[in-house]
Amino acid sequence: MAVRIVLLGTAAGGGFPQWNCACALCAAARKGELPSRTQECAAVSGNGRDWWLLNASPDLRTQLTATPALWPGPGPRDTPLRGVLLTDAEADHVTGLTELRGAAGLKVYAAPPVRGVLTPARAALDRYASWEWADSLADGGFVLAGGLVVTAHQVGTKIPKYVPSAPEPGGPWVTAYRVEDLAGGRVLLYAPCVGAWSPVLDDLCASADCVLLDGTFFAADEMGTAVRTGAGQVAMGHLPVTGPQGSLEALARHPGPRRIYTHLNNTNPLLDPGSPARARVAEQGVEVLPDGAELTL
């Protein structure tokens, strides 16, 4: 069996259009001129039967309902979902765990600081059904049902805003996942949040057949330009697509794998298929796909 990946959602936190934003892109989406997108989340399977979520967005119920491969059955409470791999503890990546409450036997992988800050949520969820919470950074990686072997790699240190103090500053708060098919050797790199490019990412891209990469901001000053705020990629922990040391420049060193941007902020011109920004990344062979797109490796 080939590796199957479904892009359940491709927008950054808040989705597209964002409920409280009247920027030009959000206005166009509300008028039906641009396709809406749900918040970033994906699903992966090595055999088409056992599926693992990559993050758990607040839109998870809608995303699961829209994806036949993830529908329940054949028994009344059977599900093809086996668990979740969390890249970080951001609200838009963990809130969807509450939608899975009551499903017994799920396994959630996350880095130690992420598991730590989620302790209250873990306790609440375990009152509905017992889950296993595992260290994604365990030596040697881990094997998933369906024939996938996974390793996690630190790609950022940003601590979520809702964390009242700063435990483990500089720790592995943000990780990427390398997912390899044991049978065929095909490799997915899943990195929807990247604080800065690093030699680690170069090595991971070099061995990948498909790269799902952080495309949150097209430019470093994008937030200020679109919505007149001082916040931007520096404050939010996302490497922009363009500019010095941007991800597009880095991806040019890795023309071999299929390369796809995800986690698009509502201010990102890549959301517009007719924009010069979209044409620019397409010229470099990098894709922007819609919610629901399925990939096969």
Side-chain angles (χ1 to χ4, degrees):
M1 292 290 293
V3 178
R4 293 173 61 189
I5 305 124
V6 180
L7 307 185
L8 301 177
T10 54
F16 178 68
Q18 188 169 294
W19 74 273
N20 63 341
C21 184
C23 73
L25 288 168
C26 286
R30 289 191 181 92
K31 290 186 285 188
E33 298 170 357
L34 295 176
S36 297
R37 294 173 184 262
T38 58
Q39 293 168 92
E40 190 274 327
C41 183
V44 63
S45 176
N47 60 7
R49 299 185 303 276
D50 300 292
W51 287 87
W52 295 84
L53 294 176
L54 300 167
N55 289 328
S57 89
D59 300 316
L60 187 56
R61 179 190 174 280
T62 297
Q63 294 165 342
L64 295 177
T65 301
T67 308
L70 303 180
W71 289 353
R77 288 289 185 175
D78 291 343
T79 174
L81 290 181
R82 303 293 175 252
V84 185
L85 283 61
L86 299 176
T87 60
D88 51 66
E90 296 293 343
D92 53 310
H93 283 159
V94 303
T95 307
L97 292 173
T98 62
E99 295 292 339
L100 304 177
R101 65 189 182 276
L106 297 185
K107 190 166 187 176
V108 182
Y109 290 90
V114 174
R115 288 189 301 145
V117 80
L118 292 179
T119 297
R122 291 167 54 186
L125 289 166
D126 283 346
R127 292 181 66 85
Y128 291 90
S130 179
W131 292 359
E132 183 177 353
W133 297 79
D135 181 2
S136 63
L137 290 170
D139 290 343
F142 49 95
V143 178
L144 302 178
L148 301 174
V149 60
V150 182
T151 54
H153 306 265
Q154 181 176 351
V155 292
T157 60
K158 182 177 177 288
I159 300 173
K161 282 186 177 180
Y162 66 80
V163 179
S165 58
E168 296 188 49
W173 283 92
V174 184
T175 55
Y177 287 105
R178 183 185 187 274
V179 183
E180 181 175 0
D181 170 29
L182 284 171
R186 307 293 284 178
V187 174
L188 166 69
L189 173 60
Y190 176 71
C193 295
V194 173
W197 200 267
S198 67
V200 169
L201 279 168
D202 274 315
D203 290 344
L204 291 169
C205 286
S207 67
D209 296 287
C210 180
V211 176
L212 285 175
L213 187 66
D214 186 346
T216 307
F217 297 110
F218 188 72
D221 62 350
E222 182 177 303
M223 289 287 285
T225 301
V227 294
R228 299 190 184 93
T229 175
Q233 59 85 23
V234 174
M236 299 181 72
H238 294 282
L239 177 69
V241 170
T242 58
Q245 311 301 315
S247 62
L248 190 61
E249 178 181 290
L251 286 176
R253 299 193 292 270
H254 304 283
R258 187 173 184 181
R259 299 158 300 168
I260 302 160
Y261 279 125
T262 190
H263 200 270
L264 306 174
N265 196 58
N266 63 293
T267 56
N268 192 329
L270 290 177
L271 292 164
D272 183 352
S275 68
R278 183 75 78 87
R280 181 173 174 182
V281 300
E283 287 173 1
Q284 299 297 319
V286 184
E287 302 174 77
V288 177
L289 300 179
D291 284 11
E294 182 168 336
L295 317 172
T296 302
L297 304 184

